[in-house]
Amino acid sequence: MNYNSSKSALETSGDPLTDMLRGLRLDGVDYGRCVLGEPWAVSFPAQKAARFHFIGQQGCWLFTPAKEWTQLSVGDALLIPRGDAHVLASAPGVPPVPIGRYTIEPVCENIYDVSNGCDGCKTLLFCGSMHFNLDGSHPLLEMMPGLMQAHKLMANAPGIQHLLDAMAGEVTMDRVGSGGILARLADVLAATIIRSWVENGCGDATGWIAAVRNPDVGKVLAAIHLQPERDWTVEALARMMGASRSAFAQRFATVVGETPAKYVLRVRMHQARQWLARDGMRVSVTASRLGYDSEASFSRAFKRVMGVAPSHFRNAGAEEQS
């Protein structure tokens, strides 16, 4: 994320979801076009990247991260923000085979054909690994539901179907530049599914949906994510909501599930990790940018949240770039 410490960094759109999604972008996407003859079952292991699926032809079944079977129809879409393990199958009970053991042929850059060689009724799946610029433990992604199913939202978000149709067309036509176009369509689709889930989230009273749908708490969350390097005190956040310190703290904790101070700290340390690992920023510079008086005090706070010293991520980032 390219945060700006100037006043303009806090210019908001008036829509908390839009402001929060500003920092959520795709850094890379891998696609698999799967043509599978019955019977079949594909297991997708847990991974850091998010996963996306849509059903292009012939329905199938999903064994969810919550260990439940649910039926999917043509045109359904799934977004699994934290990449939790799951299974797609032609029917419940079919022994699952890891995705890596299927026949995988490259089509073009980051796009692959996947097949199982069976002659039964064919199902067309479009599966993607979506590498967000935030990892799954970031507070923004951590608050999201583990599974977002678009079939429940299709009636209220007709644009999703048009995006799915466009993606299916790009895959089947295999035209020059389809990889780049698919990446952009997937970016829009991910944001659309998230927005639809927020707007029609089955009345969830707590968690990410409630936080973003709540105009007061959503406004505070958006400000924190837009400028994590700011010294966000509880008093400053309470003023933004127009509430007393105690009333704000109680309301925030009820909706979000943790105290404002703890949430702000986690967002700031995740931003620090990006500066260290992605940008190669020195630990001392990172500490100063976040307003810490000393590198040592920053390092203690970072280790308390992230579990390792900040030098671990800076060294890892330097190795990846070498």
Side-chain angles (χ1 to χ4, degrees):
M1 286 178 282
N2 296 318
Y3 287 106
N4 189 324
S5 60
S6 67
K7 183 178 179 180
S8 63
L10 278 178
E11 292 179 356
T12 64
S13 67
D15 174 12
L17 179 61
T18 295
D19 294 328
M20 291 179 71
L21 292 181
R22 282 188 195 177
L24 184 62
R25 301 187 311 274
L26 290 179
D27 283 344
V29 185
D30 298 317
Y31 297 97
R33 178 178 57 191
C34 305
V35 180
L36 304 172
E38 295 182 356
W40 60 268
V42 184
S43 64
F44 296 88
Q47 62 178 29
K48 292 182 179 180
R51 284 199 190 270
F52 164 78
H53 305 288
F54 82 77
I55 316 305
Q57 175 183 313
Q58 186 73 19
C60 64
W61 290 79
L62 166 72
F63 189 59
T64 71
K67 312 300 183 185
E68 298 175 342
W69 284 104
T70 183
Q71 192 167 15
L72 304 174
S73 302
V74 173
D76 285 354
L78 309 173
L79 180 64
I80 303 173
R82 293 181 294 279
D84 296 328
H86 58 284
V87 174
L88 293 176
S90 57
V94 178
V97 177
I99 182 64
R101 287 172 51 188
Y102 280 80
T103 301
I104 300 176
E105 298 288 344
V107 175
C108 57
E109 184 179 3
N110 298 328
I111 300 178
Y112 306 90
D113 266 335
V114 181
S115 62
N116 64 347
C118 294
D119 296 327
C121 188
K122 297 291 193 299
T123 301
L124 172 64
L125 306 175
F126 182 60
C127 307
S129 289
M130 309 173 77
H131 304 271
F132 288 118
N133 62 324
L134 307 178
D135 69 85
S137 64
H138 188 282
L140 181 57
L141 289 178
E142 198 174 58
M143 289 174 67
M144 289 184 183
L147 172 66
M148 297 182 181
Q149 295 178 249
H151 73 266
K152 296 179 181 179
L153 315 172
M154 203 67 74
N156 296 310
I160 287 180
Q161 187 61 58
H162 297 305
L163 286 168
L164 293 176
D165 292 342
M167 294 175 78
E170 287 297 327
V171 171
T172 55
M173 288 187 292
D174 190 20
R175 298 174 64 183
V176 174
S178 61
I181 292 173
L182 281 167
R184 285 161 178 77
L185 289 171
D187 204 344
V188 174
L189 183 60
T192 302
I193 293 174
I194 292 169
R195 180 183 65 185
S196 299
W197 186 268
V198 169
E199 292 175 342
N200 307 282
C202 304
D204 286 25
T206 60
W208 191 79
I209 295 171
V212 179
R213 292 171 73 181
N214 185 301
D216 294 332
V217 175
K219 178 171 63 177
V220 170
L221 288 175
I224 294 169
H225 283 278
L226 283 171
Q227 199 176 33
E229 66 266 42
R230 179 168 172 172
D231 183 16
W232 290 112
T233 63
V234 175
E235 289 79 8
L237 295 172
R239 284 196 299 271
M240 182 178 296
M241 183 182 283
S244 68
R245 185 182 187 281
S246 59
F248 161 71
Q250 181 177 0
R251 189 171 183 184
F252 187 98
T254 298
V255 173
V256 177
E258 60 184 325
T259 66
K262 184 176 180 181
Y263 189 84
V264 168
L265 180 62
R266 290 205 298 134
V267 171
R268 284 161 61 84
M269 293 303 106
H270 276 271
Q271 178 61 67
R273 182 169 73 172
Q274 281 206 320
W275 286 335
L276 294 164
R278 182 196 62 195
D279 301 337
M281 187 179 291
R282 295 197 304 274
V283 176
S284 60
V285 174
T286 303
S288 175
R289 187 167 180 181
L290 288 176
Y292 282 85
D293 295 331
S294 69
E295 183 178 325
S297 61
F298 162 71
S299 295
R300 286 193 296 271
F302 187 93
K303 187 172 183 179
R304 187 166 67 250
V305 174
M306 310 304 295
V308 295
S311 57
H312 170 84
F313 290 102
R314 188 171 191 276
N315 293 337
E319 290 176 0
E320 289 179 1
Q321 296 173 12
S322 62

